């Protein structure tokens, strides 16, 4: 019923290596490599924003799907680093792409944002409202990181990925899905300032640290390892499949150790996991669509393959789908 007909991604040019970070905070290349699997990450140029990199990724996805910007009927952007708190960033992308006056809005579920945007695009087509949707995951965490906080600045990178979703009567599309959130962990991943509780004007004067992204990494790690494998197993079961029938798994790229642990817990070969964390870091909402685009470009994913997508992050939230390609 719904098919991904085009993928695209965009990576900023500027590279920050672990060696560069050694000059900035009290860390080592060894620590970062061993604890996260990350060797380098990209950051946007001074004059680039989330809408710029999202537009680049989206144009490539549209070209791959062979549709024009005027044929797009809906744009959903998953991001937690919009161009501005107001307005939403998707209308800015709509203008930059040259689309018509179609609905365009943002969804923020932190690192799961792309998966929630995908659910929204998928539902909009499945319900019969639209035929052609553009779903984007783009983030510029470099703009909200405290570059003096070694707990967070070594982990994230900037990037954008996009998919075109189209109605296709012959496609099986989504075989199962699983979305959820546990608000008990909402304090574990935050950017405290800029909302109704802690207006940015107050934070600037009294609590500068609240302006930055903060994460209690260890607790999030524990949550991920305990919840995500269960979600994966449930999705496989709900799809009426066994784990051997899953061809590819694209997890949110939070930490290489997390991916390895989940592979072990599920007893699914690590070679089935598509990873890009080594040279990109955690690109938040962009990690899944960028990993997908790289797999498509390498002709890894074949028609009929069963692909599992599974994102997780702040909220705490998760969202996953198994699709037949
Ligand atoms: N360089 C060197 N040492 C560092 C460091 C760095 N960049 N960052 C933290 N440390 C130190 C800590 O201060 C701590 O020192 P201590 O033992 O003297 O107190 C030690 O390393 C261990 O810290 P800890 O936080 O327990 O490390 P960890 O093994 O849990 O790894 C993360 C940290 C963030 C990589 C890991 O917890 C993680 O990946 N969490 C999950 C993130 C995630 O899933 N996010 C999802 C949505 S974004």
């Amino acid at each position: 019923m719904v098919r991904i007909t085009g993928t695209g991604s965009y990576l900023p040019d500027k590279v920050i290596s672990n060696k560069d970070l050694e000059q900035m905070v009290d860390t080592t290349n060894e620590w970062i490599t061993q604890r996260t699997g990350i060797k380098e990450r990209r950051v946007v140029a001074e004059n680039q924003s989330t809408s710029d990199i999202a537009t680049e990724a989206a144009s490539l996805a549209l070209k791959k799907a062979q549709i024009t910007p005027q044929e797009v009927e809906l744009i959903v952007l998953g991001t937690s680093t919009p161009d501005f708190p107001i307005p939403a960033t998707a209308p800015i992308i709509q203008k930059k792409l040259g689309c018509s006056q179609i609905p365009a809005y943002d969804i923020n579920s932190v690192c799961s944002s792309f998966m929630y945007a995908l659910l929204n695009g998928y539902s909009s087509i499945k319900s019969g409202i639209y035929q052609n949707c553009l779903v984007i995951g783009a983030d510029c965490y470099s703009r909200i990181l405290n570059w003096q906080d070694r707990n967070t600045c070594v982990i994230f990178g900037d990037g954008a990925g996009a998919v075109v979703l189209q109605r296709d009567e012959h496609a099986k599309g989504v075989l199962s899905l699983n979305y959820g959130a546990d608000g008990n962990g909402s304090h574990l991943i935050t950017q405290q300032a800029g909302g109704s509780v802690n207006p940015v004007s107050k934070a600037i004067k009294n609590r500068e640290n609240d302006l930055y992204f903060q994460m209690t990494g260890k607790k999030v790690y524990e949550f991920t390892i305990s919840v995500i494998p269960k979600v994966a197993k449930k999705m496989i079961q709900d799809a009426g499949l066994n784990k051997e029938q899953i061809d590819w798994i694209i997890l949110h790229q939070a930490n290489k150790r997390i991916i390895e642990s989940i592979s072990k817990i599920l007893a699914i070969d690590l070679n089935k996991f598509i990873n890009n964390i080594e040279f990109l870091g955690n690109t938040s909402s962009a990690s899944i669509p960028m990993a997908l685009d790289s797999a498509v470009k390498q002709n890894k994913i074949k028609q009929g393959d069963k692909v599992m997508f599974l994102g997780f992050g702040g909220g705490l939230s998760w969202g996953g789908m198994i699709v037949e390609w």
Side-chain angles (χ1 to χ4, degrees), residues 46-67:
E46 199 66 45
N47 61 352
Q48 276 180 317
S49 69
T50 298
S51 67
D52 290 324
I53 63 174
T55 302
E56 297 282 353
S59 313
L60 292 169
L62 291 178
K63 276 197 192 106
K64 274 277 155 60
Q66 298 184 321
I67 66 166

Side-chain angles (χ1 to χ4, degrees), residues 2-283:
V2 183
R3 190 185 283 288
I4 294 176
T5 55
T7 62
S9 56
Y10 176 82
L11 263 186
D13 293 335
K14 188 174 174 189
V15 176
I16 297 191
S17 69
N18 291 351
K19 284 277 167 210
D20 295 332
L21 286 167
E22 285 181 354
Q23 310 304 312
M24 296 158 73
V25 284
D26 180 15
T27 193
T28 59
N29 175 34
E30 290 70 33
W31 191 96
I32 304 171
T33 310
Q34 279 168 18
R35 299 286 183 126
T36 70
I38 301 167
K39 292 194 171 137
E40 57 184 51
R41 70 287 292 143
R42 305 290 185 100
V43 297
V44 285
E46 199 66 45
N47 61 352
Q48 276 180 317
S49 69
T50 298
S51 67
D52 290 324
I53 63 174
T55 302
E56 297 282 353
S59 313
L60 292 169
L62 291 178
K63 276 197 192 106
K64 274 277 155 60
Q66 298 184 321
I67 66 166
T68 64
Q70 289 75 32
E71 287 173 284
V72 177
E73 296 164 288
L74 170 71
I75 300 175
V76 192
L77 168 70
T79 190
S80 45
T81 51
D83 281 12
F84 311 99
I86 295 173
T89 303
I92 300 171
I93 298 168
Q94 180 218 62
K95 178 171 175 258
K96 287 182 178 171
L97 283 172
C99 298
S100 319
Q101 292 185 350
I102 51 166
Y105 48 84
D106 300 358
I107 290 185
N108 178 0
S109 197
V110 202
C111 294
S112 315
S113 299
F114 172 77
M115 289 308 300
Y116 279 80
L118 191 65
L119 177 64
N120 200 272
Y122 166 70
S123 311
S124 303
I125 294 180
K126 189 156 189 250
S127 62
I129 302 173
Y130 301 115
Q131 313 285 316
N132 306 315
C133 297
L134 180 58
V135 176
I136 310 168
D139 268 308
C140 293
Y141 267 54
S142 65
R143 293 283 154 80
I144 61 166
L145 290 172
N146 176 354
W147 286 95
Q148 282 157 13
D149 175 11
R150 68 178 186 175
N151 291 299
T152 52
C153 76
V154 304
I155 293 167
F156 293 89
D158 300 338
V163 301
V164 172
L165 291 183
Q166 292 188 282
R167 190 173 190 87
D168 176 348
E169 296 306 333
H170 306 294
K172 277 201 190 146
V174 177
L175 304 181
S176 67
L177 52 80
N178 192 307
Y179 283 76
D182 179 0
N184 290 311
S186 57
H187 59 288
L188 296 174
I189 296 180
T190 61
Q191 184 186 12
Q192 298 268 341
S196 59
V197 171
N198 189 8
V200 76
S201 50
K202 215 167 102 191
I204 285 172
K205 283 188 199 138
N206 306 323
R207 297 169 57 126
E208 201 190 322
N209 210 32
D210 287 356
L211 295 165
Y212 297 115
F213 176 86
Q214 294 173 56
M215 177 167 77
T216 312
K218 207 162 198 70
K219 291 260 181 250
V220 179
Y221 194 104
E222 286 161 13
F223 163 83
T224 305
I225 295 298
S226 72
V227 171
I228 296 307
K230 287 183 196 139
V231 172
K233 280 182 191 162
K234 178 87 172 67
M235 277 200 294
I236 295 171
Q237 192 185 6
D238 290 348
L241 301 171
N242 57 51
K243 65 180 196 292
E244 287 74 27
Q245 290 170 294
I246 301 294
D247 297 291
W248 300 106
I249 300 179
I250 307 184
L251 294 181
H252 170 49
Q253 309 284 299
N255 186 327
K256 201 173 171 196
R257 277 161 56 214
I258 292 179
I259 297 168
E260 287 166 357
S261 300
I262 292 177
S263 155
K264 267 201 194 114
I265 297 167
L266 294 177
I268 296 180
D269 195 311
L270 199 53
N271 289 329
K272 287 191 174 181
F273 290 71
I274 291 165
N275 299 330
N276 63 13
I277 190 162
E278 197 174 339
F279 296 103
L280 306 188
N282 176 345
T283 55

